[in-house]
Amino acid sequence: MNNTLKIIFATLSTIGTLTIIIALWELAIKPLIITDNNSPDPTPTLSHSPTPTSSPTNPNSTVIPLGQRFSSGDRRLFTNQENPNADRGIEAFKAGNYEEAYQQFRQAVNTAPSDPEVQIYLNNSQARKSGNPFILAAVVPVDRKQTNALEMLRGVAQAQTQFNQQGINGRLLEIVIFNDSNDKNYAQQVAKKIINNNDILGVIGHNYSGASAEGLKEYEKAGIAMISPTSTSTSLSGNVFFRTVPSDAKAGQFLARYAIKNNMSRVAVFYTSTGNYSQSLKQAFVDGFQLLGSTTVLDMSVPNFNAQKTVEALQNQVDGFVIFPNTDNKIINFSLQVADANASLSKPKQLLGGDALYNPATLQLSKGGVNGLVLAVPWFAKPTYPYTDLAAKRWGGRVSWRTATSYDATKAFTKALSGNASRNSVFTKLQQSNLSISETSGEPLQFLKSGDRNTDPLLVRVIPKSSNFAEYDFQIIED
């Protein structure tokens, strides 16, 4: 009996010990060993709109029904903006009372002058009042990249406002805003919705090159012109495709030329294989650089990418680091970590990058590593451009390159309108576009046969002690 009890107590003791070990493993040890893919990145992230649920094709995209992804003034797409006058304007617009909608949206604009959505709805109310408006679509990533979307719509709104001051034979311009969430699946759905509305004469957008590619497949079938203000991937091409931003081919070549000119013969190129834009910019740079130098290419989207260790391992093998992120927040953060790691070296290398880093967040989120960073960008607010002052006065400060190129895209469309405008006539006139500097954001606008804008990118450098941002600003590099 005594031996039996001893065995029972020994067994219970063992089970208890195992239970404690298992509990310790689950609660304390396992979380330290296993990486949690949903844990926040320790580096500050760029802000974006909340995403309650996810798209089945893209876990980063909000599930919003197609019927709630577009508006001329009958719903708020930027749902986190509060403006009672805008709400009353929307109700009046839905009821077909465009005079009342106009008055309410005018008050809404006075309340929130930097909000381009209500400015567009104000313009649309005016266009509906006048009757038989010209209609264009503007496709932006409202819920996933709100800052990008607002920047693009400011350019659209300003060009629309200018056109509606005069119109053509009493006809004004209506803009239908569409939200594609920078998601390929929704981009295709939105594109089909656009082409099924025969009154829509052209498309301004999309933002992301991957979304533009999906939309373009549909626009090609329908013969409706698309002008992207922001998609730079060299893989984009088609009979109805135009863009008002220099392609990655030119940006890559300009950066390669700058690197060679500044005695860089060996560079490490950081990019992400998950983005069309990043891949195409990386390839353009490598193609332009490889005849006179050597490149080491690194993918920031690989598991367990460590910027600090990678930079330290390369410090004696390269003359510079080239950073080509896409617009994904995580990859942007990795890019800034590369810059900060470089700054911590005893002999920091020269830094080059693409226009995904051309925004205030680059200056604010870096720990100082971006000082001296050289970027190839589509546009810079030169004081010699009439548009620079015009836009600053309208929107309350210096505008971004996305606003400028979206303004140019809308201006190109309005120049192509006529009394008997059709999709075909608009497309034909776009091919012949020839806008002067007084009609654009600063440079003449003509399209090549490829649909690319006949212009070159600019080079800017991050400099310290700016009055515009906390510590740094962008300065153009003059030839």
Side-chain angles (χ1 to χ4, degrees):
M1 183 69 178
N2 289 340
N3 288 336
T4 303
L5 287 173
K6 286 179 181 179
I7 292 171
I8 291 171
F9 284 130
T11 302
L12 290 173
S13 176
T14 303
I15 292 171
T17 302
L18 287 172
T19 302
I20 292 169
I21 292 171
I22 290 169
L24 286 172
W25 167 259
E26 290 295 331
L27 296 175
I29 301 171
K30 184 178 177 183
L32 296 176
I33 297 174
I34 300 173
T35 300
D36 179 6
N37 291 328
N38 294 319
S39 64
D41 193 289
T43 306
T45 57
L46 304 179
S47 62
H48 53 75
S49 300
T51 51
T53 54
S54 300
S55 159
T57 60
N58 183 350
N60 293 321
S61 183
T62 311
V63 175
I64 300 172
L66 182 61
Q68 296 176 23
R69 286 184 170 272
F70 60 93
S71 175
S72 286
D74 53 338
R75 68 169 54 86
R76 254 308 203 174
L77 297 182
F78 295 84
T79 55
N80 60 343
Q81 306 286 338
E82 294 185 8
N83 191 321
N85 288 115
D87 295 338
R88 288 190 282 271
I90 286 168
E91 292 305 312
F93 194 96
K94 285 194 290 189
N97 186 348
Y98 300 121
E99 175 58 38
E100 175 63 17
Y102 177 83
Q103 296 301 330
Q104 292 296 335
F105 285 133
R106 187 168 65 173
Q107 291 298 317
V109 169
N110 290 337
T111 301
S114 65
D115 183 349
E117 184 184 21
V118 292
Q119 177 66 66
I120 287 172
Y121 294 165
L122 171 64
N123 296 339
N124 290 349
S125 301
Q126 184 186 22
R128 291 280 183 99
K129 280 199 305 173
S130 295
N132 194 26
F134 301 106
I135 303 178
L136 296 173
V139 187
V140 295
V142 173
D143 57 313
R144 287 306 306 161
K145 287 289 181 181
Q146 186 173 110
T147 297
N148 290 10
L150 290 170
E151 288 175 355
M152 293 171 70
L153 290 178
R154 287 187 185 108
V156 174
Q158 192 159 15
Q160 180 196 21
T161 301
Q162 292 173 356
F163 179 83
N164 283 5
Q165 289 172 355
Q166 200 163 23
I168 297 176
N169 299 329
R171 298 178 65 185
L172 306 182
L173 175 62
E174 176 180 331
I175 299 290
V176 187
I177 305 172
F178 285 82
N179 173 23
D180 72 349
S181 298
N182 266 0
D183 181 288
K184 295 179 181 180
N185 180 49
Y186 290 129
Q188 183 184 51
Q189 293 180 37
V190 161
K192 288 180 178 178
K193 185 74 176 178
I194 289 170
I195 63 178
N196 287 336
N197 183 343
N198 292 323
D199 292 328
I200 295 179
L201 300 173
V203 182
I204 304 159
H206 303 221
N207 169 227
Y208 160 57
S209 290
S212 289
E214 291 303 311
L216 183 56
K217 294 175 185 176
E218 304 302 323
Y219 305 138
E220 288 282 347
K221 299 173 189 176
I224 181 171
M226 161 193 174
I227 306 179
S228 175
T230 59
S231 297
T232 59
S233 172
T234 54
S235 65
L236 286 169
S237 64
N239 294 328
V240 299
F241 174 71
F242 302 88
R243 59 177 148 212
T244 49
V245 59
S247 74
D248 290 336
K250 282 201 170 183
Q253 291 166 8
F254 262 62
L255 283 172
R257 192 183 310 164
Y258 178 88
I260 293 166
K261 184 178 177 182
N262 286 271
N263 302 315
M264 295 183 224
S265 59
R266 304 170 302 164
V267 297
V269 181
F270 293 84
Y271 86 112
T272 172
S273 58
T274 60
N276 288 359
Y277 156 78
S278 180
Q279 290 187 68
S280 102
L281 191 50
K282 177 266 294 183
Q283 195 58 52
F285 178 88
V286 170
D287 289 346
F289 189 79
Q290 64 184 359
L291 294 178
L292 295 172
S294 63
T295 56
T296 300
V297 178
L298 302 111
D299 187 351
M300 293 184 287
S301 59
V302 297
N304 303 318
F305 172 77
N306 187 298
Q308 186 73 40
K309 290 181 179 179
T310 305
V311 168
E312 289 175 355
L314 290 167
Q315 62 181 312
N316 296 321
Q317 302 174 32
V318 299
D319 309 310
F321 295 112
V322 185
I323 315 170
F324 294 142
N326 60 3
T327 57
D328 177 78
N329 291 344
K330 182 178 180 180
I331 301 299
I332 291 285
N333 286 332
F334 281 154
S335 298
L336 297 179
Q337 289 171 23
V338 169
D340 291 336
N342 176 60
S344 71
L345 298 178
S346 57
K347 293 183 179 179
K349 311 300 179 183
Q350 296 185 71
L351 281 180
L352 307 179
D355 58 36
L357 296 171
Y358 185 39
N359 58 69
T362 297
L363 308 177
Q364 295 163 353
L365 295 179
S366 168
K367 296 175 183 177
V370 295
N371 187 21
L373 170 67
V374 172
L375 304 176
V377 302
W379 181 84
F380 184 81
K382 292 183 179 180
T384 54
Y385 292 159
Y387 175 75
T388 297
D389 186 56
L390 186 71
K393 286 180 178 177
R394 171 59 190 87
W395 302 111
R398 191 173 65 184
V399 298
S400 78
W401 68 267
R402 294 182 187 88
T403 299
T405 54
S406 298
Y407 176 83
D408 289 346
T410 313
K411 293 289 283 189
F413 267 123
T414 58
K415 194 73 180 287
L417 295 175
S418 61
N420 58 349
S422 65
R423 288 179 176 178
N424 185 62
S425 71
V426 168
F427 167 68
T428 301
K429 288 187 176 182
L430 283 176
Q431 292 177 305
Q432 304 162 3
S433 294
N434 187 8
L435 279 69
S436 67
I437 59 175
S438 64
E439 299 173 286
T440 68
S441 64
E443 296 295 329
L445 176 56
Q446 294 177 316
F447 294 112
L448 303 172
K449 288 184 178 181
S450 62
D452 290 331
R453 184 174 186 167
N454 187 19
T455 191
D456 292 328
L458 303 169
L459 295 178
V460 298
R461 178 185 288 108
V462 176
I463 59 171
K465 297 180 181 178
S466 163
S467 58
N468 296 310
F469 301 113
E471 295 181 45
Y472 301 98
D473 196 7
F474 296 104
Q475 180 185 67
I476 193 165
I477 299 175
E478 301 289 354
D479 293 335

